[in-house]
Amino acid sequence: MNTDSNRLAVDIKNLHVRYETDDGVVYAVNGIDLTLENKRTLGLVGETGAGKTTTALTMLKLVPVPPGIVEADHIEICGHNIPKLSTQELEKVRGNDISMIFQDPMTALNPVFTIEDQISESIELHQDISKAQAKARAGDMLETVGIPRERGKEYPHQFSGGMKQRAVIAIALACNPRVLIADEPTTALDVTIQAQVLELMNKLKDQYSTSLILITHDLGIVAEICDDVAVMYAGRIVESGTLEDVYGYTQHPYTEGLFNSLPNIKDRKEKLRPITGLMPDPMIIPVGCPFAPRCRYVDERCYQVMPELKSVSPTHKVACIAYERPGFHIERRIENE
């Protein structure tokens, strides 16, 4: 295994994903590079339809084919070349080396099996232990996520929303995966339970030395638990860097717009500054920058040139040709920090 494989939990190069439907071709992901170092947390941020979940599904080879078509120079997760793995090999990797917490805990659990059975099934599949040992381990995992082990004999409908999410986390972490993908893990939960689930995920990530990819549109959640941030727009990464890079030294106009559309807690009379317009139709790849129609710094070149992701510091990258203009800088409203 090479040096990068030892250092990187996720290494994706030039990923494209499109869906060929009866209505036309949907270009969901358009040439992104994504890396995640071991034991770090990456926040994948963007609007609905930006391509975040599709990117995550490619890591587990779960994009449905057809209609999905995945093309990439390189997709390596925990040292595994994902596109080359057979179905049998994938079964050994999923849930063992890489796990995913899906968006809705209400539908992620099987209603006709007990919680204990659903956790122990994952353990039995990947570890050479008896059924009784797997059930004991399932009980341990429930207690780890704050649920009494005796409640493992209950069914999903007997659990609250927060408890269902904790059970899903227990399943995902049952085999100590190296990479955990959490897709909007707190969307269906109230604010109090959200905080508890995030605190739990953060604690367990450290406890099991797991690398985490957190898919969300909530900038507050990212600030709370992420080390690195990648901002997606229209199937592309438009800005990436450490949390300090992206939050403290915002470079892309879209990222600026996300921050400026948040309420200003220091001046409650100040009006929100939402990003105008809508994301482009994913069936049409624009010639120039996909954010150009919504950008307040736009000029003619923005409609003609697709910006490449370029380094502005050793850890910070941005895709915006406006920086070629002398003295250009964006006007991030820093009160949101």
Side-chain angles (χ1 to χ4, degrees):
M1 196 176 289
N2 61 35
T3 304
D4 276 349
S5 296
N6 292 326
R7 182 176 62 87
L8 297 177
V10 174
D11 188 15
I12 297 174
K13 296 282 190 297
N14 195 29
L15 173 65
H16 293 260
V17 184
R18 64 183 185 274
Y19 296 96
E20 296 187 347
T21 71
D22 292 339
D23 295 325
V25 179
V26 177
Y27 298 93
V29 179
N30 303 305
I32 71 166
D33 294 346
L34 192 69
T35 58
L36 173 64
E37 293 187 13
N38 288 317
K39 302 181 184 179
R40 287 181 73 83
T41 299
L42 170 70
L44 200 55
V45 181
E47 294 174 70
T48 300
K52 306 184 300 295
T53 299
T54 296
T55 299
L57 292 176
T58 62
M59 299 182 203
L60 294 121
K61 207 174 179 178
L62 287 177
V63 172
V65 180
I69 296 175
V70 179
E71 296 172 342
D73 294 344
H74 189 67
I75 304 176
E76 188 173 289
I77 315 292
C78 303
H80 300 287
N81 188 340
I82 297 298
K84 300 290 185 183
L85 296 183
S86 65
T87 302
Q88 291 75 21
E89 290 169 328
L90 279 166
E91 287 178 356
K92 294 178 182 178
V93 171
R94 294 174 185 153
N96 192 30
D97 290 326
I98 178 169
S99 289
M100 185 164 180
I101 300 171
F102 291 94
Q103 199 166 51
D104 186 2
M106 314 300 174
T107 58
L109 295 167
N110 191 321
V112 299
F113 290 99
T114 65
I115 298 295
E116 178 185 76
D117 285 341
Q118 295 186 58
I119 301 173
S120 61
E121 178 186 29
S122 174
I123 298 168
E124 284 183 76
L125 183 63
H126 296 295
Q127 298 181 5
D128 186 20
I129 59 176
S130 68
K131 196 174 190 70
Q133 289 173 316
K135 290 209 170 186
R137 168 75 176 152
D140 292 341
M141 286 305 303
L142 280 173
E143 295 200 333
T144 299
V145 298
I147 299 174
R149 65 172 60 235
E150 54 269 19
R151 296 210 59 180
K153 301 191 183 302
E154 297 179 7
Y155 291 85
H157 74 271
Q158 295 172 282
F159 276 33
S160 67
M163 289 178 69
K164 284 191 181 83
Q165 189 62 287
R166 288 170 182 265
V168 169
I169 292 171
I171 294 171
L173 291 172
C175 297
N176 300 349
R178 277 186 58 195
V179 175
L180 175 64
I181 302 171
D183 187 3
E184 301 277 8
T186 59
T187 296
L189 308 177
D190 65 57
V191 175
T192 305
I193 303 300
Q194 277 187 26
Q196 292 175 4
V197 168
L198 288 171
E199 184 181 357
L200 173 67
M201 287 177 59
N202 216 15
K203 184 185 79 172
L204 295 178
K205 174 184 75 78
D206 294 335
Q207 181 178 332
Y208 291 101
S209 298
T210 301
S211 304
L212 173 64
I213 295 177
L214 177 66
I215 299 172
T216 185
H217 58 267
D218 191 323
L219 296 168
I221 290 175
V222 173
E224 195 170 328
I225 69 171
C226 291
D227 304 305
D228 305 297
V229 184
V231 181
M232 286 194 73
Y233 184 80
R236 298 177 182 275
I237 292 177
V238 295
E239 184 168 4
S240 66
T242 65
L243 183 70
E244 183 183 2
D245 288 334
V246 177
Y247 277 56
Y249 304 94
T250 307
Q251 298 287 308
H252 197 277
Y254 176 60
T255 314
E256 174 207 24
L258 292 178
F259 282 114
N260 284 346
S261 59
L262 295 174
N264 181 358
I265 61 173
K266 291 186 178 181
D267 184 359
R268 298 191 179 188
K269 294 181 180 179
E270 183 177 346
K271 293 183 178 179
L272 296 181
R273 286 160 45 185
I275 305 171
T276 58
L278 299 170
M279 219 163 23
D281 186 340
M283 290 188 177
I284 303 170
I285 296 183
V287 174
C289 175
F291 188 62
R294 308 174 71 183
C295 181
R296 63 193 185 112
Y297 306 107
V298 67
D299 68 14
E300 289 183 10
R301 284 197 68 221
C302 297
Y303 290 102
Q304 300 165 359
V305 178
M306 180 70 75
E308 297 179 8
L309 201 61
K310 294 182 179 179
S311 295
V312 292
S313 81
T315 57
H316 197 177
K317 294 181 178 180
V318 64
C320 181
I321 63 170
Y323 283 90
E324 297 174 12
R325 305 175 204 161
F328 174 79
H329 69 281
I330 67 169
E331 298 170 7
R332 159 92 187 270
R333 194 185 68 200
I334 61 172
E335 289 90 335
N336 284 325
E337 293 178 7

